[in-house]
Amino acid sequence: LVEALGMGVPVIASDLPVFREIGSNLPTYLSPTNSAAWEAAILEYARPDSEARAAQLGRIRDFQAPGWKGHFDAVEAWLPTLG
């Protein structure tokens, strides 16, 4: 998910807490068990004039993938909370 967003590639993801934590409001989220919704979303995004894909591309334009420094800064800030 992060790699795709970092490369400016639209993402359709399962609606799972971990993906929402990582992707925030950027991807299109679908129930992992709703195959009809997945098929419809994939077909929609594949269309050259897809409004959904264009909207997501607009949302991810300024996405910056987290780097190692930011990751370890967050880990170091979190470690003291473990008690």
Side-chain angles (χ1 to χ4, degrees), residues 9-10 12 23-24 28 36 42 46 57 60-61 63-64 67 69 77 79:
V9 176
I12 302 169
S24 185
T28 295
I42 291 167
L57 287 170
I60 66 176
R61 185 177 317 120
F63 176 79
Q64 293 290 319
K69 181 178 178 348
L79 285 174

Side-chain angles (χ1 to χ4, degrees), residues 8 12 14 16 28 36-37 43-44 48 56 70 72 75-76 83:
I12 302 169
S14 292
L16 302 174
T28 295
L43 292 173
E44 166 62 24
Q56 189 177 139
F72 284 106
V75 169
E76 288 176 2

Side-chain angles (χ1 to χ4, degrees), residues 6-83:
M7 295 181 68
V9 176
V11 173
I12 302 169
S14 292
D15 193 0
L16 302 174
V18 66
F19 291 154
R20 286 197 175 269
E21 180 180 341
I22 295 167
S24 185
N25 69 335
L26 301 176
T28 295
Y29 295 104
L30 301 172
S31 167
T33 60
N34 188 339
S35 58
W38 278 88
E39 180 180 7
I42 291 167
L43 292 173
E44 166 62 24
Y45 271 61
R47 291 183 29 237
D49 62 342
S50 170
E51 291 182 20
R53 182 171 38 96
Q56 189 177 139
L57 287 170
R59 291 193 306 271
I60 66 176
R61 185 177 317 120
D62 297 324
F63 176 79
Q64 293 290 319
W68 283 112
K69 181 178 178 348
H71 170 75
F72 284 106
D73 287 348
V75 169
E76 288 176 2
W78 170 74
L79 285 174
T81 70
L82 296 177

